[in-house]
Amino acid sequence: MYSFWDVNVAMLEGSVTTLQMFVLTLLFALPLGLIISFGSMSRFSPLRWLTKTFVWIIRGSPLMLQILIVFYGPGLLFGWKALPRFTAALVTFVINYACYFSEIYRGGIQGVPKGQQEAGQVLGMTKSQIFFKVTLLQVVKRIVPPMGNEFITLFKDTSLVSVIALRDVTKQAQNIVSTTYQPYVPYISLAVIYLLGVIIMTKLLGIFERRLRESDRR
């Protein structure tokens, strides 16, 4: 039997896995999404078509299904040894969210007025200088709200890793319930953990947006 203390200790242990999945996904998916956005905007038609098709497939299929395919697919299709559960989940999350981030990046980049780029050219700036010193700064201001929404969605989506029995906070709650047949304490604790995470991210994003607005006024 689990005591109230045991339940919360188990939930906190699962929270470590959840936070690792969240942080590592952002660490890899944010730069990968920028690279994918360049592919979707490429002037080379085959690359642009291939990238947009890939993004469309990833965004059009459920994340849970993608996790199952990455974890079970290599073994079922090729007889290969399955990836470790955490690795399989992380690879899936990085690819999935990189595709979503790429569309946000693309919209932000294409939304920057061309006049600013032309002004940079007049000043003798190179294309890379224009992108990093002019375009990218404007893009950051445009993409913060939609990126913030994706961050919050990602945090909640980490619960899907329990489908491959990865011991995140959601799986820990399920294990406790299946052992004790008492769903109230573990599921209430689970809800509190996710709500606290969302509240903290919302506050931090609000502070960041406010500072961006203040920097515009200076």
Side-chain angles (χ1 to χ4, degrees), residues 158-179:
T158 55
S159 62
L160 295 175
V161 301
S162 61
V163 73
I164 56 173
L166 183 61
R167 296 175 71 88
D168 73 319
V169 65
T170 301
K171 187 61 180 177
Q172 292 286 67
Q174 293 172 343
N175 290 341
I176 294 169
V177 171
S178 65
T179 301

Side-chain angles (χ1 to χ4, degrees), residues 70-83:
V70 172
F71 182 65
Y72 293 109
L76 293 174
L77 296 175
F78 308 108
W80 296 346
K81 183 179 179 181
L83 290 172

Side-chain angles (χ1 to χ4, degrees), residues 47-140:
L47 176 60
R48 185 175 66 252
W49 178 86
L50 183 63
T51 304
K52 286 188 173 182
T53 301
F54 178 75
V55 170
W56 176 76
I57 292 172
I58 295 299
R59 296 181 69 202
S61 56
L63 178 55
M64 182 182 291
L65 176 61
Q66 294 169 17
I67 294 172
L68 293 172
I69 290 174
V70 172
F71 182 65
Y72 293 109
L76 293 174
L77 296 175
F78 308 108
W80 296 346
K81 183 179 179 181
L83 290 172
R85 298 178 193 278
F86 187 89
T87 302
L90 180 60
V91 169
T92 309
F93 270 80
V94 168
I95 294 174
N96 182 278
Y97 272 87
C99 289
Y100 279 94
F101 292 159
S102 73
E103 289 298 285
I104 296 175
Y105 283 131
R106 184 176 63 83
I109 292 172
Q110 293 180 338
V112 176
K114 291 186 177 180
Q116 295 188 16
Q117 299 178 21
E118 294 171 353
Q121 292 174 347
V122 171
L123 294 174
M125 300 173 68
T126 64
K127 288 185 177 180
S128 60
Q129 289 176 327
I130 292 173
F131 178 76
F132 287 105
K133 294 183 178 181
V134 179
T135 304
L136 193 58
L137 293 176
Q138 297 297 318
V139 169
V140 170

Side-chain angles (χ1 to χ4, degrees), residues 140-141 144 207-216:
V140 170
K141 296 174 184 178
V144 167
I207 293 171
F208 185 61
E209 288 185 49
R210 186 164 62 251
R211 289 186 176 178
L212 281 178
R213 289 195 297 269
E214 290 173 354
S215 67
D216 286 340

Side-chain angles (χ1 to χ4, degrees), residues 30-48:
L30 285 169
L32 179 59
L34 185 59
I35 295 172
I36 294 174
S37 71
F38 291 150
S40 65
M41 294 184 294
S42 174
R43 295 181 180 180
F44 184 55
S45 298
L47 176 60
R48 185 175 66 252

